[in-house]
């Protein structure tokens, strides 16, 4: 997950998630998931400071195993602070 001007909270996030030092990127190791299965993941982030605006965040998944439907492997969203 990539996030802009937000901070990662590992205490309230999936236990396999860690932040890459010096970057706004969180990596989550989900272990083995069945080809047609899924795994819910919670990653908690919070706004740093009181800056107002629109902040982007993107989630992506990947695997060393071939994915028959890679179209659904990413999503983006926005957080609006007023």
């Amino acid at each position: 997950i990539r996030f802009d001007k937000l901070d990662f909270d590992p205490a309230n996030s999936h236990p396999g998630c860690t932040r890459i030092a010096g970057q706004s990127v969180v990596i989550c190791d989900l272990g083995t998931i069945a080809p047609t299965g899924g795994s819910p993941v919670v990653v908690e982030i919070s706004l740093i400071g009181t800056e107002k605006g629109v902040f982007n965040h993107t989630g992506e998944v990947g695997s060393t195993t071939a994915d028959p439907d890679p179209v659904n492997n990413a999503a983006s969203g926005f957080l609006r602070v007023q």
Side-chain angles (χ1 to χ4, degrees):
I1 296 177
R2 294 187 189 99
F3 49 94
D4 179 31
K5 298 185 183 179
L6 300 172
D7 195 25
F8 169 59
D9 182 359
N12 292 314
S13 297
H14 187 278
C17 297
T18 56
R19 181 176 184 171
I20 296 178
Q23 298 184 36
S24 293
V25 176
V26 174
I27 301 284
C28 300
D29 183 351
L30 305 180
T32 302
I33 300 173
T36 59
S39 179
V41 176
V42 173
V43 177
E44 186 167 311
I45 54 177
S46 58
L47 184 64
I48 297 171
T50 58
E51 186 172 349
K52 295 179 181 181
V54 177
F55 303 94
N56 181 40
H57 56 278
T58 302
E60 301 175 25
V61 297
S63 174
T64 56
T65 304
D67 185 344
D69 186 13
V71 174
N72 63 358
N73 288 354
S76 294
F78 297 92
L79 170 68
R80 181 181 307 276
V81 178
Q82 299 179 341

